[in-house]
Amino acid sequence: MSFAKHLSECALSIRLDTLPDAALHIARRAVADTIGVALAGRSVPYLTTLEATLEITSAVGEATLWGAGGAKASVLHAAMVNGTAAHALDFDDCSTTMGGHPSAPIVPAVLALSEQLDASAGQAIEAYVTGVEVETRLARGLLPHHYEKGWHPTATLGVFGAAAASARMLGFDAAAMANTLAMAASMATGLKSNFGTPVKPIHVGQAAHNGVLAALLTQQGMSANPEAFEHNYGFFNLFNGAGTYDIQAILTGWDGPLELLDPGIAIKQHPCCGSAHSAIDAALALVSEHGIFAPERIASIATQTHERRLAHTNRSDPKSGLDAKFSVQFLTAKALTAGRLRLGDFADDSFLTPECAAVLPKITSTGHQKEDAYFGQVSVTLTDGTILQADASTRFGRGPTNPMSDTELKEKFTDCAAGTLGEQGACAAFSACLALQPQDSLVDLLQRVSAKEAC
């Protein structure tokens, strides 16, 4: 049996009627969080560029573009635009197993197809959970080497999550899903070299698009090599390399806890790269104890994060708001001098405040090799010689061990969505997400997230 067929049979063991209530609740929260950050992500200028390039206005379809005033596009283009918007601000949910963002490639694909198919919320949730399990269990056997080699797992593995979820939405059997996954193996891409640029979010939109495309092509009878993963020139050997992956780690354990539940999905608190969150939280711990730090009180600052995290966050002189989201130096400086990080802190024309500009040259960032890859430490030496230090170990966001409450998630959603839906409309859309029942239609929710005015 080919790997793709075996993986598909495992994926199809996930059924709505056997999902625990906790999984349903997490799925609804994931849909809400993804839509919320995508609505905020519509503010980035390159989304307009993407829509213009795709000629969205002259290619109207049946799938909703979230927050676009009722505009619609083809299923493929909606998946791409909404997927790009969902990752535009790097504020989407995280998976420690995946080393990336599980929901952003999947939710746009599922919701776009749901409109074409008039699918129920239950169908969408079943497909979403299937997609998350496929991409995260692939990560079990491919990471950390896959990430360290320079691939962007949210895209390179997210395409398989989107493909599996799309196959589930279309009612595929194991053979058809296997063909979809095999086809998606030739559509996987995303390079860490483009972190800090608009291309990184487009990786995710492309993953959503390509996952749907692989499923739709399969539906039309197009075939792929069933051994596209394990072939000598297949995904495993080309994207990872011989001896750097573990197929059994991917295919075993499907009768155990869902990845969705353990280790689960983490909701991001800070709108920036998760690899810097430990340093941010250590800095905020110092602020909580000692108050906000005036630049003139600071002689020097030392940050320490895992060398794997530091590799793409060591940016001592960020050139834009987006670049600053990946700068552990900037993010630490902002946390110490402002006591929080908000979406508005990364505007290109205002991100580099006088306080941050004064503090950045005083920061030295180094990497460690501790077993805890999420450990971060910030040490502040004051001008009077006092040394203040704090540690944190933040796994990209608030997960099952320290969950964000529904109230806190609503606050995040409203902060993200109010700019496009209005505060009243944002509250209504969030409530609609969390109230979804398996038998419900998704029409009302999609109408609520389509408008620019309050509902």
Side-chain angles (χ1 to χ4, degrees):
M1 183 187 300
S2 71
F3 172 84
K5 181 70 177 300
H6 196 158
L7 180 61
S8 297
E9 290 186 350
C10 292
L12 288 171
S13 68
I14 296 170
R15 300 191 311 276
L16 178 68
D17 58 2
T18 59
L19 287 176
D21 289 342
L24 300 180
H25 186 58
I26 289 172
R28 287 189 288 260
R29 283 165 55 95
V31 170
D33 190 59
T34 305
I35 290 173
V37 297
L39 289 169
R42 284 206 65 85
S43 64
V44 300
Y46 55 82
L47 203 70
T48 301
T49 303
L50 176 62
E51 291 180 337
T53 304
L54 295 174
E55 299 182 336
I56 292 291
T57 56
S58 59
V60 177
E62 55 194 328
T64 299
L65 296 176
W66 308 337
K72 300 233 179 199
S74 70
V75 169
L76 290 169
H77 285 171
M80 185 165 195
V81 171
N82 291 336
T84 300
H87 195 55
L89 301 178
D90 219 290
F91 206 10
D92 40 323
D93 64 24
C94 304
S95 162
T96 55
T97 302
M98 188 178 175
H101 306 263
S103 297
I106 298 176
V107 174
V110 167
L111 292 187
L113 280 169
S114 74
E115 293 188 86
Q116 182 185 68
L117 302 170
D118 192 24
S120 68
Q123 289 174 272
I125 289 172
E126 183 179 68
Y128 167 78
V129 176
T130 300
V132 169
E133 295 303 306
V134 165
E135 65 188 9
T136 54
R137 288 169 190 271
L138 278 166
R140 284 185 181 183
L142 294 168
L143 267 64
H145 184 79
H146 187 81
Y147 187 86
E148 293 170 345
K149 192 171 182 180
W151 295 115
H152 180 197
T154 306
T156 56
L157 304 185
V159 68
F160 298 113
S166 298
R168 204 67 193 265
M169 290 294 291
L170 293 169
F172 286 178
D173 61 14
M177 182 183 284
N179 189 76
T180 301
L181 293 172
M183 194 179 300
S186 283
M187 301 178 180
T189 189
L191 308 178
K192 284 168 64 179
S193 60
N194 271 315
F195 279 18
T197 77
V199 178
K200 182 175 187 272
I202 291 175
H203 289 171
V204 182
Q206 185 172 248
H209 171 280
N210 288 350
V212 176
L213 178 61
L216 293 177
L217 289 173
T218 294
Q219 188 181 49
Q220 294 300 315
M222 186 175 287
S223 62
N225 184 350
E227 297 182 349
F229 285 90
E230 65 269 38
H231 191 278
N232 188 43
Y233 298 124
F235 182 84
F236 291 145
N237 285 320
L238 294 182
F239 277 69
N240 264 55
T244 67
Y245 58 88
D246 184 350
I247 290 178
Q248 287 307 306
I250 300 168
L251 297 177
T252 58
W254 285 78
D255 55 348
L258 292 168
E259 278 279 337
L260 187 74
L261 299 177
D262 183 18
I265 287 179
I267 304 295
K268 264 195 173 183
Q269 296 180 90
H270 310 305
C272 56
C273 181
S275 292
H277 282 203
S278 292
I280 293 168
D281 286 346
L284 291 176
L286 290 175
V287 170
S288 178
E289 184 175 356
H290 303 286
I292 289 174
F293 289 79
E296 59 270 19
R297 292 182 58 212
I298 298 172
S300 65
I301 299 168
T303 76
Q304 191 179 69
T305 51
H306 195 278
E307 62 180 14
R308 189 162 66 241
R309 312 292 176 205
L310 184 62
H312 54 271
T313 59
N314 189 12
R315 303 168 187 238
S316 59
D317 185 25
K319 303 300 184 184
S320 68
L322 182 58
D323 198 22
K325 285 175 175 280
F326 293 86
S327 166
V328 69
Q329 294 91 343
F330 172 85
L331 297 167
T332 302
K334 190 68 180 179
L336 289 171
T337 59
R340 84 291 179 272
L341 283 91
R342 296 289 185 267
L343 286 170
D345 293 335
F346 299 95
D348 285 339
D349 59 352
S350 60
F351 79 96
L352 193 59
T353 62
E355 293 80 9
C356 284
V359 170
L360 277 172
K362 303 178 182 182
I363 300 180
T364 301
S365 295
T366 58
H368 65 74
Q369 296 180 327
K370 296 179 186 295
E371 183 177 352
D372 181 1
Y374 301 96
F375 175 85
Q377 184 179 87
V378 172
S379 178
V380 179
T381 301
L382 302 181
T383 52
D384 65 3
T386 301
I387 299 175
L388 305 173
Q389 183 174 290
D391 305 338
S393 180
T394 306
R395 291 178 168 262
F396 292 162
R398 297 270 293 276
T401 60
N402 181 29
M404 185 179 286
S405 69
D406 288 350
T407 299
E408 289 174 312
L409 183 59
K410 182 178 181 179
E411 290 173 357
K412 175 184 173 180
F413 184 94
T414 304
D415 183 39
C416 288
T420 50
L421 305 183
E423 189 165 347
Q424 181 182 350
C427 290
F430 180 82
S431 297
C433 284
L434 262 60
L436 285 174
Q437 297 301 313
Q439 71 277 8
D440 289 347
S441 167
L442 292 164
V443 171
D444 176 67
L445 171 62
L446 290 165
Q447 286 178 340
R448 289 185 182 279
V449 303
S450 68
K452 286 187 176 178
E453 301 298 328
C455 298

